[in-house]
PDB file of all heavy atoms in Angstrom:
ATOM      1  N   ARG A 146      80.705  31.966  -2.265  1.00  0.00           N
ATOM      2  CA  ARG A 146      80.102  30.638  -2.448  1.00  0.00           C
ATOM      3  C   ARG A 146      78.948  30.821  -3.420  1.00  0.00           C
ATOM      4  O   ARG A 146      78.301  31.825  -3.431  1.00  0.00           O
ATOM      5  CB  ARG A 146      79.630  30.082  -1.118  1.00  0.00           C
ATOM      6  CG  ARG A 146      80.766  29.786  -0.151  1.00  0.00           C
ATOM      7  CD  ARG A 146      80.302  29.426   1.263  1.00  0.00           C
ATOM      8  NE  ARG A 146      79.040  28.662   1.366  1.00  0.00           N
ATOM      9  CZ  ARG A 146      78.881  27.335   1.289  1.00  0.00           C
ATOM     10  NH1 ARG A 146      79.943  26.612   1.062  1.00  0.00           N
ATOM     11  NH2 ARG A 146      77.719  26.789   1.462  1.00  0.00           N
ATOM     12  N   TYR A 147      78.686  29.773  -4.249  1.00  0.00           N
ATOM     13  CA  TYR A 147      77.605  29.919  -5.222  1.00  0.00           C
ATOM     14  C   TYR A 147      77.019  28.557  -5.538  1.00  0.00           C
ATOM     15  O   TYR A 147      77.619  27.521  -5.242  1.00  0.00           O
ATOM     16  CB  TYR A 147      78.120  30.596  -6.534  1.00  0.00           C
ATOM     17  CG  TYR A 147      79.026  29.772  -7.359  1.00  0.00           C
ATOM     18  CD1 TYR A 147      78.506  29.003  -8.434  1.00  0.00           C
ATOM     19  CD2 TYR A 147      80.393  29.725  -7.129  1.00  0.00           C
ATOM     20  CE1 TYR A 147      79.352  28.229  -9.208  1.00  0.00           C
ATOM     21  CE2 TYR A 147      81.258  28.947  -7.918  1.00  0.00           C
ATOM     22  CZ  TYR A 147      80.694  28.222  -8.957  1.00  0.00           C
ATOM     23  OH  TYR A 147      81.530  27.451  -9.715  1.00  0.00           O
ATOM     24  N   SER A 148      75.800  28.641  -6.164  1.00  0.00           N
ATOM     25  CA  SER A 148      75.106  27.454  -6.632  1.00  0.00           C
ATOM     26  C   SER A 148      74.640  27.768  -8.052  1.00  0.00           C
ATOM     27  O   SER A 148      74.229  28.903  -8.337  1.00  0.00           O
ATOM     28  CB  SER A 148      73.914  27.176  -5.729  1.00  0.00           C
ATOM     29  OG  SER A 148      73.236  26.040  -6.201  1.00  0.00           O
ATOM     30  N   VAL A 149      74.698  26.781  -8.944  1.00  0.00           N
ATOM     31  CA  VAL A 149      74.255  26.954 -10.338  1.00  0.00           C
ATOM     32  C   VAL A 149      72.741  26.778 -10.392  1.00  0.00           C
ATOM     33  O   VAL A 149      72.210  25.727 -10.075  1.00  0.00           O
ATOM     34  CB  VAL A 149      74.969  25.998 -11.255  1.00  0.00           C
ATOM     35  CG1 VAL A 149      74.476  26.145 -12.680  1.00  0.00           C
ATOM     36  CG2 VAL A 149      76.473  26.158 -11.183  1.00  0.00           C
ATOM     37  N   LEU A 150      72.060  27.848 -10.854  1.00  0.00           N
ATOM     38  CA  LEU A 150      70.617  27.754 -11.042  1.00  0.00           C
ATOM     39  C   LEU A 150      70.260  27.256 -12.422  1.00  0.00           C
ATOM     40  O   LEU A 150      69.302  26.519 -12.615  1.00  0.00           O
ATOM     41  CB  LEU A 150      69.991  29.150 -10.830  1.00  0.00           C
ATOM     42  CG  LEU A 150      70.192  29.762  -9.456  1.00  0.00           C
ATOM     43  CD1 LEU A 150      69.559  31.158  -9.433  1.00  0.00           C
ATOM     44  CD2 LEU A 150      69.543  28.911  -8.368  1.00  0.00           C
ATOM     45  N   ARG A 151      71.063  27.648 -13.450  1.00  0.00           N
ATOM     46  CA  ARG A 151      70.837  27.224 -14.807  1.00  0.00           C
ATOM     47  C   ARG A 151      72.159  27.221 -15.516  1.00  0.00           C
ATOM     48  O   ARG A 151      72.985  28.092 -15.386  1.00  0.00           O
ATOM     49  CB  ARG A 151      69.884  28.203 -15.494  1.00  0.00           C
ATOM     50  CG  ARG A 151      69.547  27.829 -16.922  1.00  0.00           C
ATOM     51  CD  ARG A 151      68.697  28.885 -17.626  1.00  0.00           C
ATOM     52  NE  ARG A 151      69.419  30.117 -17.887  1.00  0.00           N
ATOM     53  CZ  ARG A 151      69.214  31.271 -17.286  1.00  0.00           C
ATOM     54  NH1 ARG A 151      68.266  31.367 -16.366  1.00  0.00           N
ATOM     55  NH2 ARG A 151      69.931  32.328 -17.544  1.00  0.00           N
ATOM     56  N   ASP A 152      72.381  26.168 -16.335  1.00  0.00           N
ATOM     57  CA  ASP A 152      73.621  26.019 -17.098  1.00  0.00           C
ATOM     58  C   ASP A 152      73.255  25.786 -18.562  1.00  0.00           C
ATOM     59  O   ASP A 152      72.735  24.737 -18.898  1.00  0.00           O
ATOM     60  CB  ASP A 152      74.446  24.891 -16.528  1.00  0.00           C
ATOM     61  CG  ASP A 152      75.828  24.790 -17.162  1.00  0.00           C
ATOM     62  OD1 ASP A 152      76.101  25.553 -18.109  1.00  0.00           O
ATOM     63  OD2 ASP A 152      76.623  23.926 -16.723  1.00  0.00           O
ATOM     64  N   SER A 153      73.528  26.731 -19.423  1.00  0.00           N
ATOM     65  CA  SER A 153      73.138  26.617 -20.834  1.00  0.00           C
ATOM     66  C   SER A 153      73.936  25.527 -21.529  1.00  0.00           C
ATOM     67  O   SER A 153      73.495  24.981 -22.555  1.00  0.00           O
ATOM     68  CB  SER A 153      73.317  27.930 -21.572  1.00  0.00           C
ATOM     69  OG  SER A 153      74.676  28.257 -21.683  1.00  0.00           O
ATOM     70  N   TRP A 154      75.091  25.144 -21.019  1.00  0.00           N
ATOM     71  CA  TRP A 154      75.875  24.075 -21.624  1.00  0.00           C
ATOM     72  C   TRP A 154      75.206  22.715 -21.482  1.00  0.00           C
ATOM     73  O   TRP A 154      75.447  21.773 -22.206  1.00  0.00           O
ATOM     74  CB  TRP A 154      77.281  24.011 -21.031  1.00  0.00           C
ATOM     75  CG  TRP A 154      78.122  25.153 -21.478  1.00  0.00           C
ATOM     76  CD1 TRP A 154      78.412  26.275 -20.769  1.00  0.00           C
ATOM     77  CD2 TRP A 154      78.756  25.302 -22.749  1.00  0.00           C
ATOM     78  NE1 TRP A 154      79.144  27.134 -21.503  1.00  0.00           N
ATOM     79  CE2 TRP A 154      79.415  26.553 -22.713  1.00  0.00           C
ATOM     80  CE3 TRP A 154      78.854  24.544 -23.892  1.00  0.00           C
ATOM     81  CZ2 TRP A 154      80.148  27.026 -23.789  1.00  0.00           C
ATOM     82  CZ3 TRP A 154      79.590  25.027 -24.968  1.00  0.00           C
ATOM     83  CH2 TRP A 154      80.221  26.241 -24.896  1.00  0.00           C
ATOM     84  N   ALA A 155      74.292  22.614 -20.497  1.00  0.00           N
ATOM     85  CA  ALA A 155      73.610  21.354 -20.243  1.00  0.00           C
ATOM     86  C   ALA A 155      72.447  21.146 -21.202  1.00  0.00           C
ATOM     87  O   ALA A 155      71.873  20.068 -21.268  1.00  0.00           O
ATOM     88  CB  ALA A 155      73.115  21.301 -18.801  1.00  0.00           C
ATOM     89  N   LEU A 156      72.082  22.184 -21.979  1.00  0.00           N
ATOM     90  CA  LEU A 156      70.939  22.127 -22.911  1.00  0.00           C
ATOM     91  C   LEU A 156      71.466  21.898 -24.304  1.00  0.00           C
ATOM     92  O   LEU A 156      72.514  22.405 -24.673  1.00  0.00           O
ATOM     93  CB  LEU A 156      70.132  23.429 -22.860  1.00  0.00           C
ATOM     94  CG  LEU A 156      69.565  23.788 -21.484  1.00  0.00           C
ATOM     95  CD1 LEU A 156      68.960  25.170 -21.544  1.00  0.00           C
ATOM     96  CD2 LEU A 156      68.514  22.769 -21.065  1.00  0.00           C
ATOM     97  N   PRO A 157      70.732  21.203 -25.177  1.00  0.00           N
ATOM     98  CA  PRO A 157      71.152  21.030 -26.566  1.00  0.00           C
ATOM     99  C   PRO A 157      71.145  22.413 -27.306  1.00  0.00           C
ATOM    100  O   PRO A 157      70.291  23.236 -27.041  1.00  0.00           O
ATOM    101  CB  PRO A 157      70.124  20.085 -27.180  1.00  0.00           C
ATOM    102  CG  PRO A 157      68.986  20.095 -26.241  1.00  0.00           C
ATOM    103  CD  PRO A 157      69.478  20.505 -24.903  1.00  0.00           C
ATOM    104  N   ARG A 158      72.095  22.624 -28.193  1.00  0.00           N
ATOM    105  CA  ARG A 158      72.205  23.922 -28.858  1.00  0.00           C
ATOM    106  C   ARG A 158      71.231  24.042 -30.032  1.00  0.00           C
ATOM    107  O   ARG A 158      70.888  25.137 -30.407  1.00  0.00           O
ATOM    108  CB  ARG A 158      73.609  24.105 -29.409  1.00  0.00           C
ATOM    109  CG  ARG A 158      74.596  24.274 -28.263  1.00  0.00           C
ATOM    110  CD  ARG A 158      75.930  24.771 -28.745  1.00  0.00           C
ATOM    111  NE  ARG A 158      75.767  26.153 -29.160  1.00  0.00           N
ATOM    112  CZ  ARG A 158      76.511  26.727 -30.094  1.00  0.00           C
ATOM    113  NH1 ARG A 158      77.429  26.043 -30.686  1.00  0.00           N
ATOM    114  NH2 ARG A 158      76.309  27.959 -30.444  1.00  0.00           N
ATOM    115  N   CYS A 159      70.787  22.949 -30.607  1.00  0.00           N
ATOM    116  CA  CYS A 159      69.890  23.015 -31.759  1.00  0.00           C
ATOM    117  C   CYS A 159      68.440  22.860 -31.264  1.00  0.00           C
ATOM    118  O   CYS A 159      68.143  21.966 -30.513  1.00  0.00           O
ATOM    119  CB  CYS A 159      70.233  21.901 -32.752  1.00  0.00           C
ATOM    120  SG  CYS A 159      69.279  22.039 -34.251  1.00  0.00           S
ATOM    121  N   GLY A 160      67.564  23.783 -31.703  1.00  0.00           N
ATOM    122  CA  GLY A 160      66.189  23.786 -31.232  1.00  0.00           C
ATOM    123  C   GLY A 160      65.250  22.922 -32.028  1.00  0.00           C
ATOM    124  O   GLY A 160      64.228  23.430 -32.458  1.00  0.00           O
ATOM    125  N   GLY A 161      65.583  21.714 -32.348  1.00  0.00           N
ATOM    126  CA  GLY A 161      64.668  20.822 -33.024  1.00  0.00           C
ATOM    127  C   GLY A 161      64.794  20.922 -34.522  1.00  0.00           C
ATOM    128  O   GLY A 161      65.861  21.178 -35.054  1.00  0.00           O
ATOM    129  N   CYS A 162      63.691  20.736 -35.244  1.00  0.00           N
ATOM    130  CA  CYS A 162      63.729  20.617 -36.694  1.00  0.00           C
ATOM    131  C   CYS A 162      63.937  21.966 -37.385  1.00  0.00           C
ATOM    132  O   CYS A 162      64.235  21.996 -38.570  1.00  0.00           O
ATOM    133  CB  CYS A 162      62.475  19.928 -37.203  1.00  0.00           C
ATOM    134  SG  CYS A 162      60.977  20.833 -36.813  1.00  0.00           S
ATOM    135  N   GLN A 163      63.754  23.112 -36.707  1.00  0.00           N
ATOM    136  CA  GLN A 163      63.957  24.391 -37.317  1.00  0.00           C
ATOM    137  C   GLN A 163      65.433  24.632 -37.642  1.00  0.00           C
ATOM    138  O   GLN A 163      65.798  25.394 -38.498  1.00  0.00           O
ATOM    139  CB  GLN A 163      63.415  25.547 -36.486  1.00  0.00           C
ATOM    140  CG  GLN A 163      61.919  25.612 -36.405  1.00  0.00           C
ATOM    141  CD  GLN A 163      61.401  24.918 -35.133  1.00  0.00           C
ATOM    142  OE1 GLN A 163      62.163  24.659 -34.234  1.00  0.00           O
ATOM    143  NE2 GLN A 163      60.117  24.678 -35.115  1.00  0.00           N
ATOM    144  N   GLY A 164      66.308  24.044 -36.880  1.00  0.00           N
ATOM    145  CA  GLY A 164      67.738  24.167 -37.110  1.00  0.00           C
ATOM    146  C   GLY A 164      68.348  25.442 -36.580  1.00  0.00           C
ATOM    147  O   GLY A 164      69.505  25.744 -36.837  1.00  0.00           O
ATOM    148  N   TYR A 165      67.601  26.231 -35.801  1.00  0.00           N
ATOM    149  CA  TYR A 165      68.191  27.464 -35.226  1.00  0.00           C
ATOM    150  C   TYR A 165      69.124  27.089 -34.096  1.00  0.00           C
ATOM    151  O   TYR A 165      68.811  26.233 -33.255  1.00  0.00           O
ATOM    152  CB  TYR A 165      67.096  28.385 -34.712  1.00  0.00           C
ATOM    153  CG  TYR A 165      66.185  28.881 -35.760  1.00  0.00           C
ATOM    154  CD1 TYR A 165      64.821  28.506 -35.782  1.00  0.00           C
ATOM    155  CD2 TYR A 165      66.653  29.716 -36.777  1.00  0.00           C
ATOM    156  CE1 TYR A 165      63.996  28.949 -36.765  1.00  0.00           C
ATOM    157  CE2 TYR A 165      65.802  30.192 -37.755  1.00  0.00           C
ATOM    158  CZ  TYR A 165      64.499  29.790 -37.771  1.00  0.00           C
ATOM    159  OH  TYR A 165      63.660  30.256 -38.739  1.00  0.00           O
ATOM    160  N   MET A 166      70.236  27.766 -34.051  1.00  0.00           N
ATOM    161  CA  MET A 166      71.196  27.518 -32.951  1.00  0.00           C
ATOM    162  C   MET A 166      70.897  28.500 -31.806  1.00  0.00           C
ATOM    163  O   MET A 166      70.716  29.686 -32.020  1.00  0.00           O
ATOM    164  CB  MET A 166      72.642  27.733 -33.436  1.00  0.00           C
ATOM    165  CG  MET A 166      73.058  26.736 -34.491  1.00  0.00           C
ATOM    166  SD  MET A 166      73.151  25.067 -33.873  1.00  0.00           S
ATOM    167  CE  MET A 166      74.694  25.157 -33.015  1.00  0.00           C
ATOM    168  N   ARG A 167      70.773  27.933 -30.596  1.00  0.00           N
ATOM    169  CA  ARG A 167      70.574  28.769 -29.431  1.00  0.00           C
ATOM    170  C   ARG A 167      71.908  29.344 -28.979  1.00  0.00           C
ATOM    171  O   ARG A 167      72.900  28.693 -28.980  1.00  0.00           O
ATOM    172  CB  ARG A 167      69.975  27.896 -28.304  1.00  0.00           C
ATOM    173  CG  ARG A 167      69.718  28.626 -27.040  1.00  0.00           C
ATOM    174  CD  ARG A 167      69.375  27.666 -25.899  1.00  0.00           C
ATOM    175  NE  ARG A 167      70.225  26.499 -25.864  1.00  0.00           N
ATOM    176  CZ  ARG A 167      71.470  26.465 -25.423  1.00  0.00           C
ATOM    177  NH1 ARG A 167      72.068  27.574 -25.002  1.00  0.00           N
ATOM    178  NH2 ARG A 167      72.142  25.342 -25.419  1.00  0.00           N
ATOM    179  N   ALA A 168      71.880  30.604 -28.625  1.00  0.00           N
ATOM    180  CA  ALA A 168      73.131  31.231 -28.154  1.00  0.00           C
ATOM    181  C   ALA A 168      73.508  30.686 -26.780  1.00  0.00           C
ATOM    182  O   ALA A 168      72.628  30.427 -25.950  1.00  0.00           O
ATOM    183  CB  ALA A 168      72.941  32.750 -28.062  1.00  0.00           C
ATOM    184  N   ASP A 169      74.801  30.536 -26.563  1.00  0.00           N
ATOM    185  CA  ASP A 169      75.244  30.112 -25.236  1.00  0.00           C
ATOM    186  C   ASP A 169      75.178  31.301 -24.341  1.00  0.00           C
ATOM    187  O   ASP A 169      75.763  32.345 -24.554  1.00  0.00           O
ATOM    188  CB  ASP A 169      76.691  29.581 -25.321  1.00  0.00           C
ATOM    189  CG  ASP A 169      76.746  28.246 -26.010  1.00  0.00           C
ATOM    190  OD1 ASP A 169      75.837  27.453 -25.803  1.00  0.00           O
ATOM    191  OD2 ASP A 169      77.731  28.031 -26.746  1.00  0.00           O
ATOM    192  N   THR A 170      74.415  31.162 -23.242  1.00  0.00           N
ATOM    193  CA  THR A 170      74.262  32.258 -22.307  1.00  0.00           C
ATOM    194  C   THR A 170      75.060  32.070 -21.035  1.00  0.00           C
ATOM    195  O   THR A 170      75.071  32.888 -20.167  1.00  0.00           O
ATOM    196  CB  THR A 170      72.767  32.439 -21.904  1.00  0.00           C
ATOM    197  OG1 THR A 170      72.327  31.173 -21.349  1.00  0.00           O
ATOM    198  CG2 THR A 170      71.927  32.786 -23.082  1.00  0.00           C
ATOM    199  N   GLY A 171      75.752  30.959 -20.964  1.00  0.00           N
ATOM    200  CA  GLY A 171      76.549  30.717 -19.764  1.00  0.00           C
ATOM    201  C   GLY A 171      75.695  30.214 -18.637  1.00  0.00           C
ATOM    202  O   GLY A 171      74.568  29.772 -18.841  1.00  0.00           O
ATOM    203  N   LYS A 172      76.214  30.351 -17.432  1.00  0.00           N
ATOM    204  CA  LYS A 172      75.497  29.913 -16.260  1.00  0.00           C
ATOM    205  C   LYS A 172      74.744  31.061 -15.558  1.00  0.00           C
ATOM    206  O   LYS A 172      75.154  32.210 -15.676  1.00  0.00           O
ATOM    207  CB  LYS A 172      76.501  29.330 -15.221  1.00  0.00           C
ATOM    208  CG  LYS A 172      77.198  28.092 -15.704  1.00  0.00           C
ATOM    209  CD  LYS A 172      78.178  27.636 -14.628  1.00  0.00           C
ATOM    210  CE  LYS A 172      78.936  26.431 -15.135  1.00  0.00           C
ATOM    211  NZ  LYS A 172      79.961  26.014 -14.181  1.00  0.00           N
ATOM    212  N   CYS A 173      73.709  30.706 -14.889  1.00  0.00           N
ATOM    213  CA  CYS A 173      73.014  31.621 -13.999  1.00  0.00           C
ATOM    214  C   CYS A 173      73.290  31.099 -12.616  1.00  0.00           C
ATOM    215  O   CYS A 173      73.002  29.921 -12.313  1.00  0.00           O
ATOM    216  CB  CYS A 173      71.507  31.684 -14.313  1.00  0.00           C
ATOM    217  SG  CYS A 173      70.605  32.741 -13.140  1.00  0.00           S
ATOM    218  N   ILE A 174      73.853  31.927 -11.741  1.00  0.00           N
ATOM    219  CA  ILE A 174      74.219  31.459 -10.422  1.00  0.00           C
ATOM    220  C   ILE A 174      73.580  32.301  -9.347  1.00  0.00           C
ATOM    221  O   ILE A 174      73.213  33.458  -9.520  1.00  0.00           O
ATOM    222  CB  ILE A 174      75.747  31.469 -10.220  1.00  0.00           C
ATOM    223  CG1 ILE A 174      76.329  32.882 -10.284  1.00  0.00           C
ATOM    224  CG2 ILE A 174      76.443  30.556 -11.219  1.00  0.00           C
ATOM    225  CD1 ILE A 174      77.727  33.039  -9.795  1.00  0.00           C
ATOM    226  N   LEU A 175      73.443  31.699  -8.143  1.00  0.00           N
ATOM    227  CA  LEU A 175      73.071  32.406  -6.922  1.00  0.00           C
ATOM    228  C   LEU A 175      74.314  32.385  -6.073  1.00  0.00           C
ATOM    229  O   LEU A 175      74.865  31.327  -5.775  1.00  0.00           O
ATOM    230  CB  LEU A 175      71.931  31.665  -6.237  1.00  0.00           C
ATOM    231  CG  LEU A 175      71.494  32.239  -4.885  1.00  0.00           C
ATOM    232  CD1 LEU A 175      70.896  33.620  -5.091  1.00  0.00           C
ATOM    233  CD2 LEU A 175      70.482  31.335  -4.216  1.00  0.00           C
ATOM    234  N   ALA A 176      74.782  33.580  -5.692  1.00  0.00           N
ATOM    235  CA  ALA A 176      76.041  33.689  -4.954  1.00  0.00           C
ATOM    236  C   ALA A 176      75.842  34.369  -3.636  1.00  0.00           C
ATOM    237  O   ALA A 176      74.920  35.163  -3.418  1.00  0.00           O
ATOM    238  CB  ALA A 176      77.055  34.462  -5.788  1.00  0.00           C
ATOM    239  N   GLU A 177      76.786  34.087  -2.716  1.00  0.00           N
ATOM    240  CA  GLU A 177      76.797  34.683  -1.372  1.00  0.00           C
ATOM    241  C   GLU A 177      78.234  35.131  -1.082  1.00  0.00           C
ATOM    242  O   GLU A 177      79.195  34.322  -1.184  1.00  0.00           O
ATOM    243  CB  GLU A 177      76.321  33.686  -0.315  1.00  0.00           C
ATOM    244  CG  GLU A 177      76.365  34.240   1.092  1.00  0.00           C
ATOM    245  CD  GLU A 177      75.972  33.230   2.119  1.00  0.00           C
ATOM    246  OE1 GLU A 177      76.486  32.087   2.056  1.00  0.00           O
ATOM    247  OE2 GLU A 177      75.120  33.558   2.953  1.00  0.00           O
ATOM    248  N   CYS A 178      78.420  36.370  -0.720  1.00  0.00           N
ATOM    249  CA  CYS A 178      79.753  36.916  -0.437  1.00  0.00           C
ATOM    250  C   CYS A 178      80.292  36.262   0.824  1.00  0.00           C
ATOM    251  O   CYS A 178      79.606  36.166   1.821  1.00  0.00           O
ATOM    252  CB  CYS A 178      79.628  38.450  -0.257  1.00  0.00           C
ATOM    253  SG  CYS A 178      81.226  39.214   0.142  1.00  0.00           S
TER     254      CYS A 178
END
Side-chain angles (χ1 to χ4, degrees):
R146 292 172 34 85
Y147 71 94
S148 179
V149 178
L150 299 176
R151 182 184 67 249
D152 187 355
S153 69
W154 288 101
L156 301 172
R158 292 194 69 209
C159 186
C162 61
Q163 288 97 14
Y165 296 113
M166 295 294 282
R167 179 191 43 76
D169 288 323
T170 57
K172 295 178 183 175
C173 176
I174 64 167
L175 176 65
E177 177 183 49
C178 178

